[in-house]
Amino acid sequence: MSHFNIRCRECGKVLTEVYCAFCEHCRNALLVTEYKERNFRSDGGDGIWGFNWLPVHTPSFKQPGPVVYKSKGLSAYLGLENLYIAFNGYWPEKGAGLETCTFKEFEAAVVLQNAIENDVQGLIVASAGNTARAFAHLSVVSGFPVVIVVPTMCLTEMWYLESSSMVPTFAVGDGDYSDSIDVARRIALTLGYPFEGGVKNIAKRDGLGIVLLEAVSVMGRLPDHYFQAVGSGTGAIGVWEMAERFLLDARFGSALPVLHLAQNLPFAPMMKAWQAGSRDLFSGDLRPELIAEITTRVLSTRYPAYSVKGGVYDALTATDGKMYGVTNQEVFKAMDIFEKEEGIDIVPASGVAVAALRNAVNNRVLRSVDSVLLNITGGGEKRHGREKKTYDVDPRLISKRISEKEIEVLLCDTLKKN
Ligand SMILES: *Cc1c(COP(=O)(O)O)cnc(C)c1O
């Protein structure tokens, strides 16, 4: 017997023990994990595996969790009395041990363990950088095969924790992140591996929701407000879903945290649609040329989980949420402020969240006594780079127009080599 079921947000049907990496039960609706234990527990073991609300049974590798602490520096700077920071990254003095430096490590860990338990043979992952590094690392740690597809335009910012010869990696030379997703999907079909599934994968959302599990363990309650930079929206949806479980538990508060989600202008398709009151993304805001102008490539997907039932639009509606657009300049300023006030460097995407929080404070959206959870989705990368060895990514170049035949040949070569 499994400790969870999976329920469809559209029709309410309960599916028992299905592997849901890319399952489309009702088209255009997300499936959600329902854990049979209504009460939250965090006493089940080391790191993230101690939490009972994860879709895994017998973890086969170790995975450290986030570090959540009450801020002193930034909270004084902003005039907030109850600001908690979820730090996802590398910061040894604080006990933060994510060597790939972002919360994507939780997603990768839970997705891989869930796939292993469902007898999946291997996974194809498309990524703009951080996901690739997390999956590459955990593929090496767990011994589970992963093939990675990235856009060439992101390579300059990319690094691996292990030699890239250990994980087959392809770079799409003539396209952006969204083209890489298309190519990855076709490689998955050809190879007969499942595509890792993006937002549809329940393990991915529950993995990213670990941030809220740790936060509630530390704070003893749900926060009033939650701040995060969003690209696909998967992480924010995962946090909303975890918050709904806490409401059912009923010991940690009776209101969902208000979601405050931020994007990097001028590529901010969800923010623009939300502020216009629309469930649909406008094609004009998805123009690829806008992506070239932002500092945060990891937030640049043109396929965010916004309109889908159970997606970002519904999460914002359910929590009376807000969306923020922040400029590159505001991002750099926010990164500087955070490093000065808290004592650790953060990645630009985290700067987007900090900038949104500053904006909310300046516009008196928050009361100074409100409890606020700020998700620093990635940090300590500079620090890690100074202390530890990392590797450049050395991919095989491919075109987005690659034929099925060419994919077959290429994969035969690569898999033989590995
Ligand atoms: C992926 C990523 C995000 C955005 O997360 P989504 O789930 O795609 O919305 C934010 N910050 C960092 C550091 C990331 O790697």
Side-chain angles (χ1 to χ4, degrees), residues 5 20 38 56 106 110 116 128 179 182 206 222 235 240 246 264 282 284 302 318 329 336 344 371 398 405 411:
N5 294 321
C20 274
R38 195 168 272 222
V56 301
F106 308 139
V110 178
I116 290 167
D179 295 310
D182 292 333
D206 293 1
L222 282 166
W240 170 49
F246 279 114
N264 189 180
F282 308 115
R302 289 187 280 118
Q329 244 176 340
D336 285 345
I344 189 76
S371 70
I398 55 174
K405 192 77 213 155
L411 285 168

Side-chain angles (χ1 to χ4, degrees), residues 263-265 295-296 326-336 346-352 354-355:
Q263 298 199 285
N264 189 180
L265 292 168
T295 63
T296 52
V326 300
T327 62
N328 289 341
Q329 244 176 340
E330 290 175 298
V331 173
F332 295 134
K333 171 95 181 149
M335 290 167 74
D336 285 345
I346 58 175
V347 303
S350 304
V352 169
V354 176

Side-chain angles (χ1 to χ4, degrees), residues 183-249:
V183 172
R185 224 178 246 131
R186 287 169 47 223
I187 293 180
L189 272 176
T190 307
L191 199 61
Y193 283 3
F195 181 52
E196 145 275 329
V199 70
K200 296 219 167 87
N201 191 334
I202 56 124
K204 185 164 183 170
R205 276 177 277 132
D206 293 1
L208 293 169
I210 284 171
V211 171
L212 190 67
L213 298 181
E214 181 62 25
V216 170
S217 304
V218 170
M219 298 169 71
R221 54 163 291 183
L222 282 166
D224 299 316
H225 301 276
Y226 172 77
F227 283 79
Q228 194 208 303
V230 288
S232 69
T234 311
I237 298 166
V239 162
W240 170 49
E241 291 172 353
M242 283 298 177
E244 288 188 314
R245 294 179 188 114
F246 279 114
L247 289 200
L248 288 177
D249 178 315

